[in-house]
Amino acid sequence: MKTTLKTAAIAFFIMNSQYFFAQQINTEQSAQEIELKNYQNDLKRITADNHKSLDNKISDLKKQLKDFETKKKNLSRSEDNLNTTADKISKLELVNKKIENKITTSITSDEEIQKLRIKIKENEVNIQKLKLTQITQQKELEKAISIL
């Protein structure tokens, strides 16, 4: 009976210790699962924050690119305006030279000469206006360049 009791007591202790170990393993697994869920939640939160930050940076860069493209277009437009004005001035000066040649080489009446000289004066006035416009356009171009 003593040996049976001892054997029963040992069996009880073994079963109790196995139950204790099994319960401890279950507890450890539950703790690990909770810790894993916490890590996953932290990872999701950090990922979402990083995505939000990157989206904000992308948005800022798109705005900067749009501003840069606008400034570039303004610069190009200013250069085109300046070139167009220079071309107009050159054409008017060429027309004046042709008129002067016509006056000096052709024998024409005084009335026609006066008309041609008036035309030359009108062209010179237009040239002066265009040169003033050209100065303004040059300043705008310099402003556009300095903005870039």
Side-chain angles (χ1 to χ4, degrees):
M1 175 99 160
K2 262 186 172 185
T3 55
T4 316
L5 196 54
K6 281 185 182 180
T7 307
I10 291 175
F12 177 73
F13 284 126
I14 290 175
M15 287 181 5
N16 200 14
S17 66
Q18 284 179 348
Y19 173 76
F20 175 73
F21 287 129
Q23 188 177 11
Q24 189 175 15
I25 290 172
N26 283 340
T27 304
E28 287 176 4
Q29 285 178 343
S30 296
Q32 287 176 351
E33 288 174 4
I34 291 171
E35 191 173 333
L36 179 64
K37 286 181 183 178
N38 288 338
Y39 284 138
Q40 288 174 342
N41 290 336
D42 288 345
L43 182 64
K44 286 179 184 177
R45 183 184 47 78
I46 290 169
T47 304
D49 290 345
N50 287 343
H51 281 283
K52 185 177 179 180
S53 175
L54 288 174
D55 288 342
N56 289 339
K57 287 181 182 179
I58 288 171
S59 175
D60 289 343
L61 288 173
K62 284 181 180 179
K63 287 177 186 177
Q64 289 176 0
L65 179 62
K66 189 174 182 179
D67 289 344
F68 178 75
E69 288 174 350
T70 302
K71 290 173 184 176
K72 186 178 174 183
K73 285 179 185 178
N74 289 339
L75 177 63
S76 178
R77 192 175 314 124
S78 294
E79 288 174 340
D80 290 344
N81 289 341
L82 189 60
N83 290 336
T84 302
T85 303
D87 289 344
K88 287 178 183 178
I89 290 171
S90 297
K91 286 178 183 178
L92 285 174
E93 288 173 345
L94 183 63
V95 167
N96 278 353
K97 286 180 184 178
K98 286 180 181 179
I99 293 173
E100 286 289 337
N101 284 341
K102 188 175 183 180
I103 290 173
T104 57
T105 59
S106 300
I107 300 175
T108 55
S109 66
D110 286 338
E111 185 178 314
E112 192 173 332
I113 290 173
Q114 289 298 335
K115 286 181 183 178
L116 292 175
R117 291 211 185 273
I118 289 171
K119 181 66 177 170
I120 289 172
K121 292 293 181 186
E122 288 174 356
N123 285 347
E124 287 177 357
V125 169
N126 287 334
I127 288 171
Q128 292 304 317
K129 287 180 183 178
L130 287 172
K131 284 185 178 181
L132 289 174
T133 303
Q134 190 177 30
I135 290 169
T136 304
Q137 290 171 342
Q138 184 66 36
K139 288 180 182 177
E140 289 175 6
L141 178 63
E142 289 171 2
K143 183 180 176 182
I145 290 172
S146 69
I147 288 174
L148 283 174

